[in-house]
Amino acid sequence: MTAPHWRVHLRPGSTDVDLAAGGSLPGAFTAAWATDPGRVVLSTLDGVRLNADELAARTSSAAGRYAAAGLSPGDRVLLSAGTSVDLVVAYLGALRRGLTVVPANPGSPDAELARLASGSRPALAVLDSPGRLGDARVPVTTPDLASLPRSGGPVDLDRARPEDVALIIYTSGTTGRPKGVPLSHANLLASAHAVRLAWRWQPDDRLALCLPLFHVHGLGVGLHGTLVTGASATLMPKFEPAAVAAAIADDGATMFFGVPTMYHRLAGSAHLSSLAGLRLAVSGSAPLPVGLHAALREGSGQVVLERYGMTETVMLVSNPYDGERRPGTVGFPLPGVEVRLAPRSGGVSEIEVRGPNVISGYLDDPAATAASFTVDGWLRTGDLGELDSDGYLRISGRVKELIISGGYNVYPREVEEVLREHPEVADAAVVGAPSAEWGETVVAFIVAADPADADALAGSLVDWCVGRLTAYKRPREWRFVPAIPRNALGKIERHRLTP
């Protein structure tokens, strides 16, 4: 059927592959483990090694403990703890029992964690610190599950159906109230297979995994991709350039996934050259500045692959593994994914997507579901996009972040990239301020490399922008701050910047 003229379609992802292989996450994981029971699947830099056979046994035991504690398939488990082998075993055991996992940032304040527990209604919470929920009426255990009873007999395992909800992840809330995102086994499996195929993931790959396991980047891409492939991962509780270098040199890591903040720290460290030992380095969750992309290539020879995804879809689009990885773009749709650009007022286009990886709606929120999906079933991402002459997708901003000044569109990302190129700017963020004359004016929040030079820097930045930005895009106000507020994945929290 011919598409209406207003739809600009990207090249559709390949659909001649089985993105449902395994039927469920545990079905795919256990099938991969069975092909090579002695292969090390999880390791740590302090010497822990867990092979496929051992992981299968430990996750089976964990599933049995959940069953003995009275949890039935479909029950929810709140999981909030730092990265460790125990955490991964507790997570996989829950999936094998057919439970729905609600991951939460272990760095969240206790009050926020309690609100999440109240909203998600878990039957059990797995926490690093059992007292964090206070008086909440939710049973609590630690990631080793030691306080749960052992199973007294056989337990049904790996019975989840494709449509069953595996994860409920709450959106980061950078533009509003967090929403519950129910991701089914089918959604997560389709995305894991898609990146496995697109990035040529092989069983002999080892991922240096220091991304947090409470979000889809670390959990749905890093861990799931590793396990679906039958590969291995080196678990690191936090990101440190020296730890990444050690994972590559000492543990044989061939892949690293990071956010731009991590790559920025690597570029400024003595360990940048270690990235040369990787087969693949991937960046996501926030735009990778073009200048940083070049610095990484110059300092390590590594051409970082940038991709695009979101909580509601896991992975959507990726620069090619074979072929040009074009800085400033996120490439082409992954296998099974369809992407189109839908015109919006002001001459911009919003990215809309559909595919087996896309959720069917938000948790207990029909209004948000109706607002986020088109009548023909495409998810409105809230991201603005454009295509270059070769069909590469570029993310140009957020629908709600767009600043309209004097009738002209200003994209914060464009202005921020110019500001960050100034040698005396450590970081920058741009928001719109109401203006009776212009509708909105551009306000820049600046982190000075040397705070003592902030006053002089303001004048320098005005001159800097004159030669690099059209007049309506130039900031009218300058605010100097010690840091730009960002969430755990490096995204700017613009709602915390008050013009």
Side-chain angles (χ1 to χ4, degrees):
M1 183 177 190
T2 302
H5 72 278
W6 57 266
R7 293 181 184 168
V8 181
H9 282 263
L10 301 178
R11 293 189 315 202
S14 170
T15 55
D16 58 351
V17 294
D18 186 2
L19 300 177
S24 68
L25 292 173
F29 299 164
T30 55
W33 297 340
T35 63
D36 190 353
R39 178 183 293 278
V40 171
V41 178
L42 301 176
S43 63
T44 66
L45 291 177
D46 58 2
V48 175
R49 296 286 186 273
L50 203 64
N51 66 33
D53 204 28
E54 293 166 335
L55 185 56
R58 285 189 58 177
T59 55
S60 174
S61 176
R65 284 183 178 269
Y66 289 126
L71 275 69
S72 301
D75 285 342
R76 297 173 184 170
V77 173
L78 176 64
L79 192 60
S80 182
T83 296
S84 68
V85 170
D86 280 346
L87 174 73
V88 174
V89 169
Y91 169 65
L92 298 177
L95 294 183
R96 298 193 70 184
R97 177 57 180 155
L99 306 178
T100 297
V101 177
V102 183
N105 187 344
S108 299
D110 290 357
E112 184 177 321
L113 190 66
R115 287 195 297 272
L116 180 59
S118 176
S120 59
R121 304 183 300 278
L124 176 73
V126 179
L127 310 176
D128 271 339
S129 301
R132 293 196 61 204
L133 286 182
D135 296 329
R137 296 180 181 180
V138 178
V140 176
T141 188
T142 48
D144 60 9
L145 308 182
S147 66
L148 300 184
R150 293 182 180 275
S151 173
V155 176
D156 280 343
L157 295 175
D158 311 326
R159 299 293 181 87
R161 299 166 299 179
E163 66 271 21
D164 290 341
V165 176
L167 291 174
I168 298 174
I169 298 182
Y170 283 80
T171 58
S172 58
T174 56
T175 57
R177 181 178 62 85
K179 300 185 287 289
V181 177
L183 288 155
S184 70
H185 284 266
N187 295 149
L188 293 159
L189 196 56
S191 198
H193 280 307
V195 294
R196 173 182 64 81
L197 294 163
W199 298 343
R200 311 295 191 267
W201 215 327
Q202 300 296 325
D204 59 357
D205 276 314
R206 176 164 291 171
L207 174 66
L209 182 53
C210 54
L211 289 163
L213 297 182
F214 57 83
H215 194 274
V216 291
H217 194 169
L219 194 62
V221 183
L223 185 62
H224 291 175
T226 294
L227 298 177
V228 164
T229 302
S232 62
T234 301
L235 301 176
M236 292 176 277
K238 61 181 180 179
F239 168 78
E240 293 176 341
V244 173
I248 297 169
D250 303 333
D251 219 33
T254 61
M255 304 170 70
F256 171 72
F257 301 164
V259 300
T261 301
M262 294 177 179
Y263 283 107
H264 178 78
R265 287 184 57 191
L266 280 163
S269 76
H271 304 285
L272 175 57
S273 61
S274 67
L275 298 183
L278 296 171
R279 179 182 70 79
L280 179 64
V282 177
S283 180
S285 294
L288 184 71
V290 172
L292 179 55
H293 190 283
L296 293 164
R297 183 171 189 169
E298 181 179 350
S300 69
Q302 191 65 240
V303 183
V304 176
L305 184 152
E306 193 169 6
R307 88 304 181 274
Y308 165 57
M310 55 193 298
T311 304
E312 292 87 340
T313 66
V314 197
M315 288 297 96
L316 290 166
V317 177
S318 172
N319 264 272
Y321 180 80
D322 298 311
E324 181 186 0
R325 301 173 191 175
R326 188 163 294 182
T329 77
V330 290
F332 307 102
L334 286 164
V337 177
E338 291 181 89
V339 180
R340 72 185 184 188
L341 300 183
R344 297 289 179 257
S345 60
V348 298
S349 295
E350 182 179 1
I351 301 168
E352 296 180 347
V353 299
R354 70 178 178 184
N357 55 310
V358 180
I359 63 168
S360 58
Y362 290 99
L363 180 68
D364 302 328
D365 198 338
T369 298
S372 298
F373 285 84
T374 66
V375 293
D376 55 346
W378 293 69
L379 173 69
R380 300 183 176 101
T381 65
D383 290 315
L384 300 174
E386 56 193 26
L387 301 178
D388 69 12
S389 59
D390 295 316
Y392 283 74
L393 176 65
R394 180 181 183 274
I395 311 299
S396 55
R398 290 284 297 172
V399 171
K400 293 182 180 179
E401 291 173 359
L402 180 67
I403 301 168
I404 302 178
S405 184
Y408 292 101
N409 296 331
V410 181
Y411 302 105
R413 179 181 174 183
E414 179 185 7
V415 181
E416 288 160 0
E417 288 177 349
V418 168
L419 295 174
R420 291 189 194 115
E421 289 173 356
H422 192 289
E424 297 173 37
V425 171
D427 200 2
V430 165
V431 298
S435 167
E437 180 179 3
W438 301 102
E440 290 181 294
T441 56
V442 180
V443 178
F445 288 79
I446 302 294
V447 179
D450 184 351
D453 294 336
D455 291 340
L457 180 55
S460 175
L461 284 169
V462 170
D463 294 337
W464 179 267
C465 291
V466 166
R468 293 168 173 82
L469 291 170
T470 306
Y472 67 85
K473 298 178 181 179
R474 298 173 199 157
R476 302 291 184 93
E477 295 181 48
W478 304 92
R479 309 285 177 83
F480 290 89
V481 293
I484 300 299
R486 296 177 181 271
N487 65 16
L489 294 172
K491 294 181 181 179
I492 296 172
E493 297 182 305
R494 297 182 196 277
H495 63 286
R496 295 175 57 189
L497 296 171
T498 304

